[in-house]
Coordinates of all heavy atoms in Angstrom, one line a residue:
A1 N 2.4 27.0 -57.4 CA 3.8 26.8 -57.7 C 4.6 26.7 -56.4 O 5.8 26.5 -56.5 CB 4.3 27.8 -58.6
W2 N 4.0 26.7 -55.2 CA 4.8 26.8 -54.0 C 4.5 25.7 -53.0 O 3.3 25.3 -52.8 CB 4.6 28.1 -53.3 CG 5.1 29.3 -54.0 CD1 4.5 30.1 -54.9 CD2 6.4 29.9 -53.8 NE1 5.4 31.1 -55.4 CE2 6.6 31.0 -54.7 CE3 7.5 29.6 -52.9 CZ2 7.7 31.7 -54.7 CZ3 8.6 30.3 -53.0 CH2 8.7 31.4 -53.9
R3 N 5.5 25.1 -52.5 CA 5.4 24.0 -51.5 C 6.3 24.2 -50.3 O 7.3 24.9 -50.4 CB 5.7 22.6 -52.1 CG 5.0 22.2 -53.3 CD 5.3 20.8 -53.7 NE 6.8 20.5 -53.7 CZ 7.3 19.3 -53.6 NH1 6.6 18.3 -53.6 NH2 8.6 19.2 -53.6
T4 N 5.9 23.7 -49.2 CA 6.8 23.7 -48.0 C 6.7 22.3 -47.3 O 5.7 21.6 -47.5 CB 6.4 24.8 -47.0 OG1 7.3 24.9 -45.9 CG2 5.0 24.6 -46.4
G5 N 7.7 21.9 -46.6 CA 7.7 20.6 -46.0 C 8.6 20.5 -44.8 O 9.6 21.3 -44.6
Y6 N 8.4 19.5 -44.0 CA 9.2 19.2 -42.8 C 9.4 17.7 -42.7 O 8.5 16.9 -43.0 CB 8.5 19.7 -41.5 CG 9.2 19.1 -40.3 CD1 10.4 19.7 -39.8 CD2 8.6 18.1 -39.5 CE1 11.0 19.2 -38.7 CE2 9.3 17.6 -38.4 CZ 10.4 18.2 -38.0 OH 11.1 17.7 -36.8
R7 N 10.7 17.3 -42.4 CA 11.0 15.9 -42.2 C 11.8 15.7 -40.9 O 12.7 16.5 -40.6 CB 11.8 15.4 -43.4 CG 12.2 13.9 -43.4 CD 13.0 13.4 -44.6 NE 14.4 13.9 -44.5 CZ 15.2 14.0 -45.5 NH1 14.8 13.7 -46.7 NH2 16.4 14.4 -45.3
Y8 N 11.4 14.6 -40.2 CA 12.2 14.2 -39.0 C 12.8 12.8 -39.2 O 12.0 11.9 -39.6 CB 11.3 14.2 -37.8 CG 12.0 13.8 -36.5 CD1 12.9 14.7 -35.9 CD2 11.8 12.5 -36.0 CE1 13.6 14.3 -34.8 CE2 12.5 12.1 -34.8 CZ 13.4 13.0 -34.2 OH 14.1 12.6 -33.1
D9 N 14.1 12.7 -39.0 CA 14.8 11.4 -39.1 C 15.2 10.9 -37.7 O 15.7 11.7 -36.9 CB 16.0 11.5 -40.0 CG 15.6 11.9 -41.4 OD1 15.3 13.1 -41.6 OD2 15.7 11.1 -42.3
Q10 N 15.2 9.6 -37.5 CA 15.6 9.0 -36.2 C 16.2 7.7 -36.5 O 15.6 6.8 -37.1 CB 14.5 8.9 -35.2 CG 14.9 8.3 -33.9 CD 15.8 9.2 -33.0 OE1 15.3 10.3 -32.5 NE2 17.0 8.9 -32.8
L11 N 17.4 7.4 -36.0 CA 18.1 6.1 -36.1 C 18.4 5.6 -34.7 O 18.5 6.4 -33.7 CB 19.4 6.2 -36.9 CG 19.3 6.6 -38.3 CD1 20.7 6.7 -38.9 CD2 18.4 5.7 -39.1
D12 N 18.4 4.3 -34.5 CA 18.8 3.7 -33.2 C 19.8 2.6 -33.5 O 19.5 1.6 -34.2 CB 17.5 3.1 -32.6 CG 17.8 2.5 -31.2 OD1 19.0 2.5 -30.8 OD2 16.8 2.2 -30.5
S13 N 21.1 2.8 -33.0 CA 22.1 1.8 -33.2 C 21.8 0.4 -32.6 O 22.4 -0.6 -32.9 CB 23.5 2.3 -32.7 OG 23.4 2.5 -31.3
G14 N 20.9 0.4 -31.6 CA 20.4 -0.8 -31.0 C 21.4 -1.7 -30.3 O 22.4 -1.2 -29.7
D15 N 21.2 -3.0 -30.5 CA 22.1 -4.0 -29.8 C 23.2 -4.4 -30.8 O 23.0 -5.0 -31.8 CB 21.3 -5.2 -29.4 CG 20.3 -4.9 -28.4 OD1 20.5 -4.0 -27.5 OD2 19.2 -5.5 -28.4
V16 N 24.5 -4.0 -30.4 CA 25.6 -4.3 -31.3 C 26.6 -5.1 -30.4 O 27.1 -4.6 -29.4 CB 26.3 -3.1 -31.9 CG1 27.5 -3.4 -32.7 CG2 25.3 -2.3 -32.7
N17 N 26.9 -6.3 -30.8 CA 27.9 -7.2 -30.1 C 29.2 -7.1 -30.8 O 29.5 -7.8 -31.8 CB 27.4 -8.6 -30.1 CG 28.3 -9.5 -29.4 OD1 29.1 -9.1 -28.5 ND2 28.3 -10.8 -29.7
V18 N 30.1 -6.2 -30.3 CA 31.4 -6.0 -30.9 C 32.3 -5.2 -29.9 O 31.8 -4.5 -29.0 CB 31.3 -5.2 -32.3 CG1 30.9 -3.7 -32.0 CG2 32.5 -5.4 -33.1
D19 N 33.6 -5.4 -30.1 CA 34.5 -4.6 -29.3 C 34.7 -3.2 -29.8 O 35.3 -3.0 -30.8 CB 35.9 -5.3 -29.3 CG 36.9 -4.7 -28.4 OD1 36.6 -3.7 -27.8 OD2 38.1 -5.2 -28.3
T20 N 34.0 -2.3 -29.2 CA 34.0 -0.9 -29.7 C 35.3 -0.2 -29.5 O 35.5 0.9 -30.1 CB 32.9 -0.1 -28.9 OG1 33.1 -0.1 -27.5 CG2 31.5 -0.6 -29.3
S21 N 36.3 -0.8 -28.7 CA 37.6 -0.2 -28.7 C 38.4 -0.3 -30.0 O 39.2 0.5 -30.4 CB 38.4 -0.8 -27.5 OG 38.7 -2.2 -27.8
L22 N 38.0 -1.4 -30.7 CA 38.6 -1.6 -32.1 C 37.7 -0.9 -33.1 O 38.2 -0.5 -34.2 CB 38.7 -3.1 -32.4 CG 39.7 -3.9 -31.6 CD1 39.6 -5.4 -32.0 CD2 41.1 -3.4 -31.7
F23 N 36.4 -0.8 -32.9 CA 35.5 -0.2 -33.8 C 34.7 1.0 -33.1 O 33.5 0.8 -32.8 CB 34.5 -1.2 -34.3 CG 35.2 -2.5 -34.9 CD1 35.3 -3.6 -34.1 CD2 35.7 -2.5 -36.2 CE1 36.0 -4.7 -34.6 CE2 36.3 -3.6 -36.7 CZ 36.4 -4.8 -35.9
P24 N 35.4 2.1 -32.9 CA 34.8 3.2 -32.1 C 33.6 3.8 -32.8 O 32.7 4.3 -32.2 CB 35.9 4.2 -32.0 CG 36.9 3.9 -33.1 CD 36.8 2.4 -33.3
V25 N 33.5 3.7 -34.2 CA 32.3 4.3 -34.9 C 31.0 3.5 -34.5 O 29.9 4.1 -34.7 CB 32.6 4.3 -36.4 CG1 32.4 2.9 -36.9 CG2 31.6 5.2 -37.1
L26 N 31.1 2.3 -34.0 CA 30.0 1.5 -33.6 C 29.5 1.7 -32.2 O 28.7 0.9 -31.7 CB 30.3 0.0 -33.9 CG 30.5 -0.3 -35.4 CD1 30.8 -1.8 -35.6 CD2 29.3 0.1 -36.2
S27 N 30.1 2.6 -31.5 CA 29.6 2.9 -30.1 C 28.2 3.3 -30.1 O 27.7 3.9 -31.1 CB 30.5 4.1 -29.5 OG 31.8 3.7 -29.4
P28 N 27.4 2.9 -29.1 CA 25.9 3.2 -29.1 C 25.6 4.7 -29.3 O 26.2 5.5 -28.7 CB 25.5 2.7 -27.7 CG 26.5 1.7 -27.3 CD 27.8 2.2 -27.9
Y29 N 24.6 4.9 -30.2 CA 24.2 6.3 -30.5 C 22.9 6.3 -31.2 O 22.5 5.3 -31.8 CB 25.3 7.0 -31.4 CG 25.0 8.4 -31.6 CD1 24.9 9.3 -30.5 CD2 24.9 9.0 -32.9 CE1 24.7 10.7 -30.7 CE2 24.7 10.3 -33.1 CZ 24.6 11.2 -32.0 OH 24.4 12.5 -32.2
K30 N 22.2 7.4 -31.1 CA 20.9 7.5 -31.8 C 20.9 8.8 -32.6 O 20.5 9.9 -32.2 CB 19.7 7.6 -30.8 CG 19.5 6.3 -30.0 CD 18.3 6.4 -29.1 CE 18.1 5.1 -28.4 NZ 16.9 5.1 -27.5
P31 N 21.4 8.7 -33.9 CA 21.4 9.9 -34.8 C 20.0 10.4 -35.1 O 19.1 9.6 -35.1 CB 22.1 9.4 -36.0 CG 22.8 8.1 -35.6 CD 22.0 7.5 -34.5
R32 N 19.9 11.7 -35.3 CA 18.6 12.3 -35.7 C 18.8 13.5 -36.5 O 19.9 14.0 -36.6 CB 17.8 12.6 -34.4 CG 18.4 13.7 -33.6 CD 17.7 13.8 -32.2 NE 18.1 15.0 -31.5 CZ 19.2 15.1 -30.8 NH1 20.0 14.0 -30.7 NH2 19.5 16.2 -30.1

């Protein structure tokens, strides 16, 4: 009746062609 688990998540915002001064949320970042 018992389970245990682990998960690892990784994102890469990659190449974004945009003016980040207008769209600050799109500044390069790698969430995990």
Side-chain angles (χ1 to χ4, degrees):
W2 290 88
R3 306 186 311 161
T4 186
Y6 169 76
R7 184 180 73 199
Y8 178 74
D9 299 76
Q10 178 72 68
L11 300 178
D12 186 352
S13 62
D15 299 325
V16 179
N17 178 24
V18 72
D19 184 356
T20 56
S21 64
L22 294 177
F23 307 97
V25 73
L26 296 179
S27 298
Y29 187 56
K30 294 184 178 182
R32 65 191 189 279

